[in-house]
Amino acid sequence: MHTAVCDALRISHPVVQAGMGGWTNPALVAAVSNAGGLGILACCWSSADVVRQSLRQIRALTDRPFGVNFVLHLTDDAVFQHCLDERVPVFSFFRGDPGPATARVHAIGAKVLHQITTVAEAEQACAANVDVLVAQGCEAGGHMGPMPLWTLLPEVVRVAGHRPVLAAGGIVDGQGLAAAIAFGAAGVLMGTRFLATPEAPATVDHKQAIVNARLGDTIPTLVWDILWGEDWPGGIRTQSLRNAMTDRWDGREHDLRAGLDAVRAEFAAAEARQDITLIPLLAGVGAARIRDILPAADVVRDTVRDAEEILRHLAARAPA
Ligand SMILES: Cc1cc2nc3c(=O)[nH]c(=O)nc-3n(C[C@H](O)[C@H](O)[C@H](O)COP(=O)(O)O)c2cc1C
């Protein structure tokens, strides 16, 4: 399946793996890129040394295009500059005005993919001249915006004009890719689906919890950002699997802030023993449709194969 995003990013298949801060590694990035998609290394929450070493490892594992991801308001400029110096071929951004960062990326001849969650952000990204837009719906895992994907996407496609748009949020398979194409997108960006792969650096328990999840098992919440001490603009929430921590504190954020020191101590202890009832298991609503832990290359291959089959089938059934 070849679309405009394949030309823009010089990849074979319109399937992009999301930058997931703390949850990507060279093995995952290279596996996706080697399979013809685009793997992306998340750089926020990683030290300059880790990023430097990861870029070396990715280049040892693949000669295909890959990307680096930055949440703009959390970007360490030294890490960003290092990625520019290393001539990484694709930069992916999330949140904020991508204008200044895009100019620096374009100056080295690399491409920019910018993830937005509203039409206003899409307009801002077009004014900044980004190369590819990612429309992220509220179905997404991790930090997510306010709009359902299938409502947001057609509006973003309209605003984007000639720029390719990727659909993100709740997409886990070829049905999602086929639907995205039907809505005018040029491909998909998936996070949660790529977490449930052997290559991803999530714990075995996290991956299994995604496989076990059913509809209604995820929750968009402020609890994790309060515990992490992160202040995201615009009341943005983080989608994760429900557990005892979200059951106890979601909707009681005032009480959580009032007793923060004690809960943080409990949280740190839970993280140390990887107690999945109390730590964040980030995942989007699409987790309910993930039934197995699959190699990342199989995810790319199956997604494209199934989407092609669905689109062929629909074309054959279309009324004359
Ligand atoms: C574990 C996790 C961590 C994430 N971290 C980031 C991040 O560091 N930067 C970013 O741009 N998006 C991040 N996201 C959001 C993704 O870019 C993307 O929008 C989302 O994964 C798409 O929804 P899906 O998970 O349902 O496929 C994260 C998502 C997950 C699941």
Side-chain angles (χ1 to χ4, degrees), residues 6 27 70 149 151 159 190 231 259 291:
C6 301
F70 293 91
L149 176 62
T151 306
V159 166
M190 300 189 285
D231 196 9
R291 296 279 185 254

PDB file of all heavy atoms in Angstrom, residues 6 27 70 149 151 159 190 231 259 291:
ATOM      1  N   CYS A   6       4.128   7.835   2.241  1.00  0.00           N
ATOM      2  CA  CYS A   6       5.299   7.007   1.904  1.00  0.00           C
ATOM      3  C   CYS A   6       6.314   7.850   1.136  1.00  0.00           C
ATOM      4  O   CYS A   6       7.524   7.761   1.376  1.00  0.00           O
ATOM      5  CB  CYS A   6       4.887   5.794   1.079  1.00  0.00           C
ATOM      6  SG  CYS A   6       3.695   4.732   1.930  1.00  0.00           S
ATOM      7  N   ALA A  27      15.521  -1.519  19.339  1.00  0.00           N
ATOM      8  CA  ALA A  27      15.014  -2.769  18.746  1.00  0.00           C
ATOM      9  C   ALA A  27      13.641  -2.552  18.113  1.00  0.00           C
ATOM     10  O   ALA A  27      13.365  -3.021  16.996  1.00  0.00           O
ATOM     11  CB  ALA A  27      14.934  -3.866  19.820  1.00  0.00           C
ATOM     12  N   PHE A  70       9.708  14.436  20.058  1.00  0.00           N
ATOM     13  CA  PHE A  70       9.836  15.403  21.147  1.00  0.00           C
ATOM     14  C   PHE A  70       8.471  15.991  21.482  1.00  0.00           C
ATOM     15  O   PHE A  70       7.746  16.419  20.578  1.00  0.00           O
ATOM     16  CB  PHE A  70      10.762  16.560  20.744  1.00  0.00           C
ATOM     17  CG  PHE A  70      12.197  16.141  20.553  1.00  0.00           C
ATOM     18  CD1 PHE A  70      12.643  15.749  19.299  1.00  0.00           C
ATOM     19  CD2 PHE A  70      13.072  16.103  21.622  1.00  0.00           C
ATOM     20  CE1 PHE A  70      13.963  15.343  19.124  1.00  0.00           C
ATOM     21  CE2 PHE A  70      14.391  15.701  21.456  1.00  0.00           C
ATOM     22  CZ  PHE A  70      14.839  15.315  20.199  1.00  0.00           C
ATOM     23  N   LEU A 149     -11.529  10.541  17.227  1.00  0.00           N
ATOM     24  CA  LEU A 149     -10.746  10.525  15.989  1.00  0.00           C
ATOM     25  C   LEU A 149     -11.585  10.714  14.737  1.00  0.00           C
ATOM     26  O   LEU A 149     -11.251  11.515  13.867  1.00  0.00           O
ATOM     27  CB  LEU A 149      -9.969   9.197  15.891  1.00  0.00           C
ATOM     28  CG  LEU A 149      -9.193   9.013  14.593  1.00  0.00           C
ATOM     29  CD1 LEU A 149      -8.133  10.087  14.416  1.00  0.00           C
ATOM     30  CD2 LEU A 149      -8.577   7.618  14.532  1.00  0.00           C
ATOM     31  N   THR A 151     -14.309  12.111  14.208  1.00  0.00           N
ATOM     32  CA  THR A 151     -14.878  13.452  14.065  1.00  0.00           C
ATOM     33  C   THR A 151     -13.781  14.442  13.689  1.00  0.00           C
ATOM     34  O   THR A 151     -13.960  15.304  12.817  1.00  0.00           O
ATOM     35  CB  THR A 151     -15.532  13.899  15.400  1.00  0.00           C
ATOM     36  OG1 THR A 151     -16.458  12.891  15.798  1.00  0.00           O
ATOM     37  CG2 THR A 151     -16.241  15.223  15.254  1.00  0.00           C
ATOM     38  N   VAL A 159      -8.194  20.829   6.463  1.00  0.00           N
ATOM     39  CA  VAL A 159      -7.267  21.921   6.776  1.00  0.00           C
ATOM     40  C   VAL A 159      -5.880  21.644   6.195  1.00  0.00           C
ATOM     41  O   VAL A 159      -5.179  22.556   5.751  1.00  0.00           O
ATOM     42  CB  VAL A 159      -7.176  22.085   8.320  1.00  0.00           C
ATOM     43  CG1 VAL A 159      -5.993  22.942   8.726  1.00  0.00           C
ATOM     44  CG2 VAL A 159      -8.474  22.671   8.858  1.00  0.00           C
ATOM     45  N   MET A 190       0.434   4.239  15.264  1.00  0.00           N
ATOM     46  CA  MET A 190      -0.072   3.384  16.355  1.00  0.00           C
ATOM     47  C   MET A 190       0.939   3.339  17.503  1.00  0.00           C
ATOM     48  O   MET A 190       2.145   3.196  17.264  1.00  0.00           O
ATOM     49  CB  MET A 190      -0.306   1.955  15.862  1.00  0.00           C
ATOM     50  CG  MET A 190      -1.306   1.844  14.729  1.00  0.00           C
ATOM     51  SD  MET A 190      -1.749   0.124  14.344  1.00  0.00           S
ATOM     52  CE  MET A 190      -0.298  -0.452  13.476  1.00  0.00           C
ATOM     53  N   ASP A 231       3.026  19.216  34.533  1.00  0.00           N
ATOM     54  CA  ASP A 231       1.918  20.128  34.328  1.00  0.00           C
ATOM     55  C   ASP A 231       1.729  20.309  32.827  1.00  0.00           C
ATOM     56  O   ASP A 231       2.435  21.096  32.215  1.00  0.00           O
ATOM     57  CB  ASP A 231       2.281  21.463  35.005  1.00  0.00           C
ATOM     58  CG  ASP A 231       1.058  22.312  35.187  1.00  0.00           C
ATOM     59  OD1 ASP A 231      -0.047  21.801  34.946  1.00  0.00           O
ATOM     60  OD2 ASP A 231       1.227  23.501  35.535  1.00  0.00           O
ATOM     61  N   GLY A 259      -2.671  15.258  49.727  1.00  0.00           N
ATOM     62  CA  GLY A 259      -1.879  14.227  50.431  1.00  0.00           C
ATOM     63  C   GLY A 259      -0.754  13.686  49.575  1.00  0.00           C
ATOM     64  O   GLY A 259      -0.378  12.509  49.693  1.00  0.00           O
ATOM     65  N   ARG A 291      -5.269  -8.907  20.843  1.00  0.00           N
ATOM     66  CA  ARG A 291      -5.453 -10.241  21.417  1.00  0.00           C
ATOM     67  C   ARG A 291      -4.146 -10.992  21.637  1.00  0.00           C
ATOM     68  O   ARG A 291      -4.130 -12.070  22.197  1.00  0.00           O
ATOM     69  CB  ARG A 291      -6.352 -11.083  20.497  1.00  0.00           C
ATOM     70  CG  ARG A 291      -7.748 -10.559  20.364  1.00  0.00           C
ATOM     71  CD  ARG A 291      -8.603 -10.987  21.562  1.00  0.00           C
ATOM     72  NE  ARG A 291      -9.987 -10.588  21.391  1.00  0.00           N
ATOM     73  CZ  ARG A 291     -10.552  -9.576  22.063  1.00  0.00           C
ATOM     74  NH1 ARG A 291      -9.848  -8.895  22.921  1.00  0.00           N
ATOM     75  NH2 ARG A 291     -11.815  -9.272  21.869  1.00  0.00           N
TER      76      ARG A 291
END
